[in-house]
Amino acid sequence: MNSIGYSHLLAFILHTVSAILAFLSQPESGLTLGKLVVPEVDFKGSNKTLLVVETDHVVFEDINIVGLIFTNEIITAVSHLLGVIGFFLYTDAMMRDGRHLESVRRYVEYAVTAGLLEVALLVGMGSTSFYQVLFILLSNVAIQLMGYMSERTQDRMRQIYYSLGGFVLLAPSITVIVWNATLVKGMERVEELAYFYLALYVLFGVHNLFDHVLPFWRNAIDRDTGYNILSVATKIGLSWLLIAITFKTYKDAGVALEPTIDMDFVVLQDALRYAIIAFVVVGLALTAFVLPKPKGSAVAATEAEKTGLMATIA
């Protein structure tokens, strides 16, 4: 067994616990449910004047962000359970062909869960734009395709192009979420949440790029284990920061959520902030210096580095 299997096991346990806590934390009443709308425009002529009347056409309604987080955590836990089964029982198959099965598992999961988490953040910040959500969901799928393609090609420059392409696709989504956060009033620390989102999502791209171009990074931090560490910190950290900020906002407004959760949400937010940073730093350090490395590299890079960036490895 290697670090990939252990990290999947840890991720499965943590996401399962997170899903259970999210389920138990869902308010039965008091929580304002979100909705997603598109503008419905009506052109009305009256007394030689054209009036443009815009109303909301509801696409989705009754969106419970805590329930959305619970769903996201369940999907993530099941995905990591598949990783546990694969690397504990079918190690040879999972390691074959540049760990292709693991790449497929990861990018299919991310295509769903990374987007759902962004939706939870947007709706939690009060956004109701269906267009924003649709754009972010489709952009996320495209980003995961870029990541998958960067791992399947053995041409160094294509790896770099795909990786940088992912950053380009991520930039508008980051802009939408961070900009929304800066315009939110009456919700403390929501900008901090958005900046944590920015940093953590960018870290995935940095890890992907460094794994392709920096031998010392690739040799120290296994590609798949690194992704698992970042995934746990990102999904659990951002999800519970959002829940803590939301519940604190209702508490400050004097709105009772039933059942009542007797907790200091400021302390919880502080703990989560430091826990996210510590988990990433300590997790990557353990991956680099303590956990057993998988045999062979996930990225066959040696020949390309010897013969030039444009080399394609046979």
Side-chain angles (χ1 to χ4, degrees):
M1 182 49 56
N2 53 52
S3 61
I4 308 174
Y6 291 127
S7 63
H8 273 305
L9 180 59
L10 175 63
F12 168 68
I13 293 171
L14 292 178
H15 282 293
T16 300
V17 172
S18 176
I20 293 171
L21 292 176
F23 178 78
L24 296 175
S25 300
Q26 292 187 76
E28 296 178 1
S29 64
L31 182 66
T32 301
L33 301 181
K35 63 179 180 179
L36 296 175
V37 304
V38 295
E40 185 174 294
V41 180
D42 186 8
F43 292 88
K44 294 182 177 181
S46 176
N47 297 325
K48 297 183 179 181
T49 301
L50 182 64
L51 300 176
V52 180
V53 180
E54 186 174 301
T55 56
D56 289 337
H57 175 77
V58 178
V59 181
F60 293 102
E61 57 185 348
D62 298 334
I63 302 173
N64 184 328
I65 61 167
V66 182
L68 191 59
I69 288 171
F70 162 72
T71 302
N72 208 41
E73 288 295 275
I74 285 291
I75 295 171
T76 305
V78 170
S79 177
H80 283 292
L81 177 59
L82 294 177
V84 170
I85 293 172
F87 280 99
F88 273 84
L89 301 181
Y90 305 99
T91 306
D92 290 341
M94 295 297 290
M95 296 297 291
R96 193 177 299 130
D97 189 21
R99 308 180 199 166
H100 184 215
L101 291 177
E102 172 63 5
S103 292
V104 171
R105 182 212 62 80
R106 180 174 63 253
Y107 286 116
V108 169
E109 178 208 317
Y110 287 4
V112 177
T113 58
L116 284 181
L117 181 54
E118 289 174 313
V119 172
L121 292 173
L122 267 178
V123 175
M125 294 174 187
S127 176
T128 60
S129 173
F130 174 74
Y131 293 140
Q132 285 185 351
V133 167
L134 181 63
F135 171 79
I136 283 178
L137 288 175
L138 293 178
S139 294
N140 177 62
V141 172
I143 290 169
Q144 306 315 323
L145 284 173
M146 286 287 192
Y148 173 76
M149 291 164 67
S150 76
E151 292 183 10
R152 294 311 296 163
T153 182
Q154 293 182 349
D155 184 292
R156 177 63 71 242
M157 289 309 296
R158 288 181 182 177
Q159 291 172 342
I160 295 173
Y161 294 152
Y162 288 138
S163 185
L164 294 179
F167 282 109
V168 173
L169 289 169
L170 180 60
S173 298
I174 288 176
T175 301
V176 168
I177 291 178
V178 172
W179 200 343
N180 269 272
T182 62
L183 298 176
V184 173
K185 307 298 181 184
M187 179 178 273
E188 296 179 0
R189 289 191 171 183
V190 68
E191 287 189 47
E192 179 182 304
L193 171 63
Y195 291 129
F196 261 103
Y197 153 76
L198 183 158
L200 289 167
Y201 270 58
V202 166
L203 270 178
F204 281 90
V206 170
H207 177 55
N208 178 277
L209 181 61
F210 283 6
D211 187 66
H212 292 315
V213 302
L214 299 179
F216 80 87
W217 183 274
R218 181 166 57 251
N219 294 331
I221 299 175
D222 177 72
R223 181 189 73 192
D224 299 309
T225 307
Y227 278 128
N228 286 342
I229 296 297
L230 292 175
S231 177
V232 171
T234 299
K235 290 171 188 169
I236 294 180
L238 293 181
S239 295
W240 283 96
L241 271 176
L242 176 59
I243 290 175
I245 290 172
T246 300
F247 284 7
K248 174 69 163 51
T249 302
Y250 277 82
K251 184 177 181 180
D252 291 345
V255 178
L257 298 177
E258 297 294 340
T260 302
I261 299 178
D262 186 15
M263 180 179 293
D264 189 330
F265 294 110
V266 174
V267 172
L268 177 59
Q269 290 172 54
D270 289 337
L272 287 167
R273 176 173 55 185
Y274 295 119
I276 291 171
I277 298 171
F279 192 89
V280 171
V281 173
V282 174
L284 294 181
L286 289 174
T287 301
F289 302 111
V290 178
L291 293 176
K293 298 288 193 300
K295 294 180 180 179
S297 175
V299 181
T302 305
E303 290 300 320
E305 289 163 357
K306 286 181 179 178
T307 59
L309 286 176
M310 291 302 293
T312 299
I313 305 164

